[in-house]
Amino acid sequence: MFDLLVIWDWIAFSVRWLHVVTAMAWIGASFYFIALDLMLKPNDDLPEGAHGEEWEVHGGGFYHTVKYMVAPARMPEHLTWHKWQSYATWLSGAALLMIIYWVSGELYLLDPTKADLTLFQGILISGASLTIGWLLYDQMCKSKLADYPTVLMLLLFVILVVMSWGYHQIFTGRAALLHLGAFTATIMTANVFFQIMPNQRIVVEDLKAGRTPDAKYGKIAKVRSTHNNYLTLPVVFLMLSNHYPLAFATEYSWIIASLIFLTGVTIRHYFNTMHSTGKGPHWTWGVTVLLMIAIAWLSTATDTETWDEANARELTPYEERFASSEHFADAASIVMGNCSMCHAREPVWPGLMWAPRGVYLETDGDIARHAEQIYYHAGVSHAMPPPNAISTMDTESRATIVAWYRDVTRSSN
């Protein structure tokens, strides 16, 4: 069984690796085509129906790209579709969300200090909430609001702020930011699957049938693609945020997440304008810096749960399972002696202002809640304590931690 636990952890790592690689491919393709579209130049010698061209050099060769606003007069035999990067990114991300935030939901998804939810209820909210944004956004895009792109983007921002606040009312800080990223990424992939690709297929079928394609389909695809372009950078930030407690483990994390969407707009506006005109509006960098300063300030303006409050909190059923083990007292003593100087609400390690990754290991509830992480980091591996720590955890201590975790999981199965 414990070999399966290790295999499961490697599966999670492999899926994360796949997710990062496919995201790089999707983001790279998205940024490239937006830049290419903005750099296209008119030319009197272009074929009929062509909008512009661009010459590029890369890898020892030259590339000549011509864009048709609707479609060329003749459809080539080979046509490359850029869709699988998006689909693979979303599918691998959804799988990773299930592996981490559903299977290990007691630790990573649910926050008993915020909402009294069962794991099933948390999973239900997690899955169902991801579709809400797409349904609202898609209806707005199909309404008369489509004629007012600025208003449309502002309403989308309002939806994102509301969801950021809502997620932080029920989930852990890590889960809240991750779900907001998944919420946004779902909108982006749904744009590709439900709008961009179907409209492109209509154009291709019209050409094959000898009909003149309607330009509106290309226009719709371009609008959705542009929206995706502005949402990309915030999603990357949200996916990385679980490594930084100042982003996810503070009182105003939901505001921080909201402001990040504004930085995504300012940064992309600079580069999009630069690709289009050859010169970017430098004021966007000033606005971005001011937003990041506000985010840094908000990350420290927080009211963290005190040790007394954490110690007085009633244990959840998940925590009680590990705290009631006959090995718990020995394991807790080892963790307290080796880990709590860093993983404290007020760390005593020189130069350390916050607990690494926001993990506290000071109370029985803290230790029981993070049993699986302790098992992986200090039991079956030697990741913790770090090699330069004052205390060195011996083999016997690690064996005690392993015995504690395995005793509880064995009895639960």
Side-chain angles (χ1 to χ4, degrees):
M1 179 179 66
F2 298 107
D3 287 340
L4 290 177
L5 287 174
V6 173
I7 291 173
W8 181 253
D9 204 48
W10 275 105
I11 290 174
F13 188 4
S14 300
V15 174
R16 187 186 297 274
W17 187 15
L18 172 64
H19 184 55
V20 171
V21 171
T22 55
M24 289 167 59
W26 184 18
I27 293 170
S30 173
F31 281 6
Y32 171 74
F33 278 106
I34 287 291
L36 177 63
D37 193 61
L38 293 170
M39 291 188 295
L40 291 170
K41 301 295 188 294
N43 189 325
D44 294 337
D45 296 329
L46 289 175
E48 184 180 353
H51 168 67
E53 66 175 359
E54 176 67 17
W55 284 87
E56 300 173 275
V57 58
H58 180 76
F62 294 88
Y63 297 81
H64 181 208
T65 304
V66 177
K67 178 180 178 178
Y68 295 84
M69 286 302 293
V70 181
R74 182 184 62 84
M75 180 59 59
E77 293 183 6
H78 175 70
L79 183 64
T80 300
W81 295 81
H82 291 272
K83 57 182 179 179
W84 294 112
Q85 302 100 316
S86 173
Y87 300 164
T89 300
W90 190 89
L91 290 171
S92 58
L96 190 61
L97 183 145
M98 295 175 189
I99 290 172
I100 297 176
Y101 292 94
W102 290 11
V103 176
S104 300
E106 293 95 341
L107 172 60
Y108 296 113
L109 180 65
L110 304 180
D111 187 339
T113 66
K114 294 180 179 178
D116 184 18
L117 296 174
T118 65
L119 180 57
F120 176 76
Q121 290 173 327
I123 291 174
L124 192 63
I125 294 172
S126 168
S129 66
L130 299 182
T131 64
I132 295 175
W134 163 250
L135 295 175
L136 292 176
Y137 164 79
D138 188 51
Q139 289 303 310
M140 290 192 302
C141 287
K142 292 177 179 177
S143 70
K144 293 182 179 180
L145 289 171
D147 298 327
Y148 307 94
T150 302
V151 176
L152 180 61
M153 288 299 292
L154 286 174
L155 288 175
L156 176 58
F157 177 67
V158 170
I159 292 174
L160 292 169
V161 172
V162 171
M163 290 304 299
S164 179
W165 177 85
Y167 279 135
H168 276 86
Q169 303 311 302
I170 53 177
F171 291 155
T172 65
R174 286 182 59 179
L177 291 191
L178 189 283
H179 276 75
L180 185 63
F183 177 90
T184 310
T186 298
I187 292 176
M188 296 169 65
T189 298
N191 270 339
V192 176
F193 186 80
F194 291 111
Q195 290 295 326
I196 296 174
M197 293 310 302
N199 288 334
Q200 299 280 30
R201 291 191 187 97
I202 291 173
V203 172
V204 170
E205 292 301 320
D206 282 344
L207 283 171
K208 289 181 178 180
R211 298 187 297 268
T212 301
D214 192 329
K216 73 175 184 180
Y217 297 112
K219 180 181 178 181
I220 293 172
K222 182 179 179 180
V223 168
R224 300 291 183 118
S225 182
T226 301
H227 289 173
N228 282 3
N229 178 254
Y230 281 100
L231 293 173
T232 298
L233 293 182
V235 170
V236 174
F237 176 94
L238 294 171
M239 295 307 176
L240 294 174
S241 66
N242 67 89
H243 297 283
Y244 298 92
L246 284 179
F248 71 78
T250 65
E251 185 177 356
Y252 299 109
S253 293
W254 69 274
I255 301 179
I256 290 173
S258 302
L259 293 179
I260 283 298
F261 282 96
L262 298 182
T263 66
V265 171
T266 56
I267 294 172
R268 289 311 305 164
H269 179 63
Y270 173 85
F271 285 105
N272 290 343
T273 304
M274 184 178 67
H275 293 318
S276 178
T277 65
K279 184 178 181 181
H282 297 296
W283 62 265
T284 57
W285 291 111
V287 174
T288 303
V289 169
L290 290 176
L291 286 170
M292 293 306 297
I293 290 174
I295 287 171
W297 178 78
L298 286 169
S299 70
T300 60
T302 184
D303 183 18
T304 305
E305 179 188 46
T306 65
W307 181 91
D308 290 331
E309 292 171 339
N311 193 51
R313 180 179 61 81
E314 184 178 349
L315 300 184
T316 66
Y318 175 82
E319 295 165 347
E320 186 62 41
R321 284 170 50 205
F322 289 95
S324 61
S325 168
E326 61 178 315
H327 299 286
F328 178 73
D330 292 335
S333 177
I334 292 169
V335 173
M336 291 283 192
N338 290 273
C339 310
S340 62
M341 64 184 304
C342 293
H343 290 279
R345 287 157 182 83
E346 296 182 7
V348 296
W349 182 271
L352 195 63
M353 302 298 294
W354 299 276
R357 299 193 71 176
V359 174
Y360 303 130
L361 299 173
E362 296 182 290
T363 70
D364 288 353
D366 292 339
I367 296 171
R369 179 173 179 79
H370 295 93
E372 183 177 294
Q373 288 179 299
I374 295 169
Y375 170 72
Y376 282 128
H377 288 82
V380 295
S381 78
H382 293 187
M384 292 294 165
N388 60 342
I390 295 176
S391 60
T392 302
M393 189 177 293
D394 55 34
T395 303
E396 183 179 352
S397 296
R398 296 187 189 280
T400 300
I401 290 174
V402 170
W404 163 53
Y405 184 82
R406 290 184 175 181
D407 172 65
V408 176
T409 53
R410 185 183 295 113
S411 61
S412 300
N413 291 277

